[in-house]
Amino acid sequence: MGQMQKKLLKERRELILMILVLGLAAYYILFFTPKDSLELYQAISFADDFEEAQKVMLEGYEGNFKEEDFEFINRLDTSADRISQFTLFEYDEKTIW
């Protein structure tokens, strides 16, 4: 096997590995992160403990979700009356909602 063929095989392996990593990341985002308010509510309410529920919070907003909130959502005598979806448009210096 020539030097050129070894280099091509190595490049193909690297390309396949990169595609695999990107595919797994896309799979995780697609199937394991909440996409809307209803999925977020379900992820919180079906979480086994507060730490697991806090993992689905948007990065930087974990502090807005307290353990008391988790306990309230998971109480048997409470249920959500309505789950609303808000939309934010973020620009360089302005946010519209």
Side-chain angles (χ1 to χ4, degrees):
M1 207 186 263
Q3 190 73 348
M4 185 66 121
Q5 288 178 333
K6 287 181 183 179
K7 186 177 179 182
L8 286 174
L9 286 174
K10 183 179 177 186
E11 288 176 358
R12 284 184 183 165
R13 274 190 242 131
E14 290 172 354
L15 179 63
I16 290 170
L17 181 63
M18 185 171 55
I19 290 171
L20 181 64
V21 168
L22 290 174
L24 289 173
Y27 179 82
Y28 176 81
I29 291 170
L30 186 62
F31 291 106
F32 292 104
T33 58
K35 277 141 220 62
D36 56 24
S37 297
L38 180 60
E39 287 185 12
L40 178 61
Y41 175 77
Q42 290 172 336
I44 293 169
S45 65
F46 292 130
D48 293 328
D49 57 16
F50 174 68
E51 287 76 26
E52 184 182 335
Q54 199 170 28
K55 289 178 184 177
V56 298
M57 294 293 124
L58 190 61
E59 189 174 323
Y61 292 91
E62 300 92 349
N64 295 341
F65 182 63
K66 308 275 188 268
E67 192 161 1
E68 296 84 39
D69 301 327
F70 174 74
E71 297 299 329
F72 180 78
I73 289 172
N74 285 319
R75 283 181 20 198
L76 294 176
D77 62 334
T78 61
S79 62
D81 294 328
R82 183 176 81 186
I83 300 172
S84 301
Q85 182 75 33
F86 295 97
T87 301
L88 297 173
F89 298 106
E90 292 188 31
Y91 294 93
D92 292 333
E93 308 243 347
K94 187 175 186 176
T95 301
I96 302 168
W97 51 302

